Amino acid sequence: MTHPKIFISRLIPARGLDLIKEHFLPEAWTHEMPPTREELLEKVRGVDGLLCTLTEKVDAELMDAAGSQLKIISSMSVGVDHIDIAAATARGIPVGNTPGVLTDATADMAFALLLSAARRVMEGEKYIRAGKWKTWHPQLLLGADLVGSTLGIVGFGRIGQAVAKRAQGFDMRVIFHDPSAHAVHGAKPVDLDSLLHEADFVSLHVPLTPNTKHLVNADFLSKMKPNAILVNTARGGVVDQVALYNALKSNQIFAAALDVTDPEPLPMDNPLLTLENCLIVPHLGSASQRTRDLMSLLAAENLIAGLKGERLPNCVNPEVYSR
Ligand code: GLV
């Protein structure tokens, strides 16, 4: 295979793109907006390698549109809920992702959101711009302390653990729920109900799977404390947004801070955007220059390995190698 055909579906950082270009001649999508479904189906036709991001739905139809020569799907993301992994495995296609390098950036974002919601940073900012700042007031925009509060982490993988590590520095008590994880950074394992009853902050760090879809529903929210703040840097689909709107609107919980929504982008008429106690940012968890550079490099390394018929450095479906 001298000239494999490669499609890169977004303008990824130069670090990764240049590495690919040292080996191959890829075609890269350079528009700001991602390709439409039709454009993507057209662009993948006949490719040996696809480097995608979380904005592209990579399902069986797309894999079949690419053709049976497709050897590697490399996603510049740690989450792979946009890819039908079973369909890729059934076709013997390894899928690569980019774990590890975005752990700290995402944990930082969870903490940025947690602090912003606790101390009402965005409300204060809007207050000034609306011309409402007339005086210092002893009761203005009072928020919540971190010291001595309890942080409940749902999903205690790399990112959840990195959040726990940060919480130690703020003198928070940390509890977590994740039946498959071990306790680190002074965090205590608890069942989900105990976590919801005890936590002043609940931070979500589970992947989106059929089991975690709408994990945060009306029942989950009803078990949270009235002063509790929900932080989501995982995936929008983990939260039932109608239930969240109702809980925030009725002050059943104090606030929510979301890096992710369902769908993305969130339509401007979504009721969550009308709430003062809901802070939303546009999926920026891994959005630091260094992190995105490293993610592009890992995605490039996965792509190159797959095209060379080597084992991917980070493979989501290693069972393809034992077929
Ligand atoms: C970002 O959300 C990622 O999965 O990398």
Side-chain angles (χ1 to χ4, degrees), residues 13 76 101-106 108-109 283-296:
M76 198 185 102
V101 294
L102 47 63
T103 299
D104 285 319
T106 309
D108 287 347
M109 177 55 80
H283 203 149
L284 299 174
S286 63
S288 74
Q289 188 65 61
R290 175 179 162 276
T291 298
R292 289 281 163 86
D293 281 350
L294 293 174
M295 288 170 72
S296 75

Side-chain angles (χ1 to χ4, degrees), residues 54 77-79 102 235 283 295:
L54 52 79
S77 64
V78 66
L102 47 63
R235 281 291 184 267
H283 203 149
M295 288 170 72

Side-chain angles (χ1 to χ4, degrees), residues 146-218:
L146 269 62
V147 65
S149 66
T150 297
L151 169 63
I153 299 177
V154 182
F156 208 56
R158 292 183 198 85
I159 299 172
Q161 292 175 21
V163 170
K165 189 174 171 189
R166 283 154 179 74
Q168 279 189 312
F170 284 86
D171 288 337
M172 299 172 89
R173 171 178 173 256
V174 184
I175 54 181
F176 71 92
H177 176 67
D178 186 336
S180 62
H182 295 293
V184 289
H185 304 308
K188 183 179 145 213
V190 293
D191 61 70
L192 187 57
D193 276 7
S194 306
L195 183 144
L196 298 176
H197 286 126
E198 291 175 32
D200 303 297
F201 300 90
V202 174
S203 193
L204 305 175
H205 300 286
V206 288
L208 177 61
T209 66
N211 286 338
T212 61
K213 171 102 180 150
H214 289 187
L215 169 71
V216 180
N217 55 17

